[in-house]
Amino acid sequence: DTAVSQTPKYLVTQMGNDKSIKCEQNLGHDTMYWYKQDSKKFLKIMFSYNNKELIINETVPNRFSPKSPDKAHLNLHINSLELGDSAVYFCASSPLISTDTQYFGPGTRLTVL
Amino acid sequence: AQKITQTQPGMFVQEKEAVTLDCTYDTSDQSYGLFWYKQPSSGEMIFLIYQGSYDEQNATEGRYSLNFQKARKSANLVISASQLGDSAMYFCAMREPHSGGGADGLTFGKGTHLIIQP
């Protein structure tokens, strides 16, 4: 029944490793997003995908790459993890229309040691 | 310049009192959406209420209402009869049309940490 799900919920890893976070939505929405929430709780958009097409790519390092195998999934792959990547990463989804609500997943807390 | 400004980093309110959380926004678009989300200590982002820029009536959802003053570019959240479970971070956010068409991400304010005291 979960509308937007993410795995894993917690991720602890060493600097330099490569990791992925998975996201799935069962709402039939057209667009999915990744947000980063830093230690001060500030939320910022990273990427969005619409029907497999990247339509926003904020100024994030190219170590971060979103991958969408289909409309219901948007995974986030991170290469060469750095200490500053430690944060909570939220996946979200919404219909296409710009004023429609975005529904968030539970978040993935990434800790880089 | 910040697009979403929440001027109250923290608030303490007595249980059962009404609470107003401030939010002002900045946009040159005519069509946009304004949202409030609640983030309890458990971490999830919970959608509370939405106001469209063309909506003439203030949005209401149960104990939540949005005081939308378009000319002042403000979208304050009002919680009536506050409860202990309302203690959380509250984020105001705006969604604008993407310049190239299609959907855009939300721009968030820095949040207000609300604590309801018994």
Side-chain angles (χ1 to χ4, degrees), chain A residues 40-70:
Chain A
K40 295 184 179 179
K41 299 287 190 180
F42 185 60
L43 278 147
K44 188 173 181 182
I45 180 75
M46 298 177 71
F47 302 104
S48 69
Y49 252 80
N50 178 9
N51 291 328
K52 298 189 182 182
E53 181 183 359
L54 180 68
I55 58 172
I56 296 177
N57 188 347
E58 292 291 321
T59 53
V60 298
N62 57 15
R63 299 181 294 102
F64 290 79
S65 54
K67 297 190 192 309
S68 181
D70 55 58

Side-chain angles (χ1 to χ4, degrees), chain A residues 3-16:
Chain A
V4 183
S5 60
Q6 294 179 229
T7 53
K9 188 166 175 63
Y10 299 96
L11 184 54
V12 181
T13 188
Q14 298 286 331
M15 252 189 337

Side-chain angles (χ1 to χ4, degrees), chain B residues 40-118:
Chain B
S41 57
S42 51
E44 69 268 32
M45 293 290 290
I46 302 168
F47 164 71
L48 294 178
I49 197 166
Y50 158 78
Q51 179 85 40
S53 58
Y54 293 117
D55 295 340
E56 295 187 355
Q57 301 280 345
N58 285 343
T60 60
E61 290 285 350
R63 293 186 301 113
Y64 304 108
S65 60
L66 199 152
N67 184 0
F68 181 46
Q69 298 189 37
K70 195 169 182 177
R72 295 185 178 183
K73 293 188 175 178
S74 76
N76 298 341
L77 176 71
V78 180
I79 308 174
S80 63
S82 58
Q83 302 170 357
L84 296 178
D86 294 332
S87 295
M89 282 290 290
Y90 288 81
F91 292 97
C92 179
M94 177 171 62
R95 188 170 182 187
E96 301 163 284
H98 189 252
S99 58
D104 204 349
L106 291 172
T107 301
F108 283 88
K110 293 185 177 181
T112 295
H113 189 190
L114 176 64
I115 297 175
I116 307 298
Q117 296 175 312

Side-chain angles (χ1 to χ4, degrees), chain A residues 7 12 18 21-22 34-35 40 43 55 63-64 69 77 96 103-104 110-113:
Chain A
T7 53
V12 181
D18 302 339
I21 306 172
K22 295 185 177 180
W34 279 105
Y35 289 85
K40 295 184 179 179
L43 278 147
I55 58 172
R63 299 181 294 102
F64 290 79
H77 190 74
L96 177 61
Y103 293 93
F104 282 73
L110 171 65
T111 303
V112 182
L113 303 175

Side-chain angles (χ1 to χ4, degrees), chain B residues 22-34:
Chain B
D22 295 339
C23 174
T24 57
Y25 61 92
D26 181 26
T27 181
S28 56
D29 286 307
Q30 296 302 308
S31 176
Y32 51 90
L34 296 160

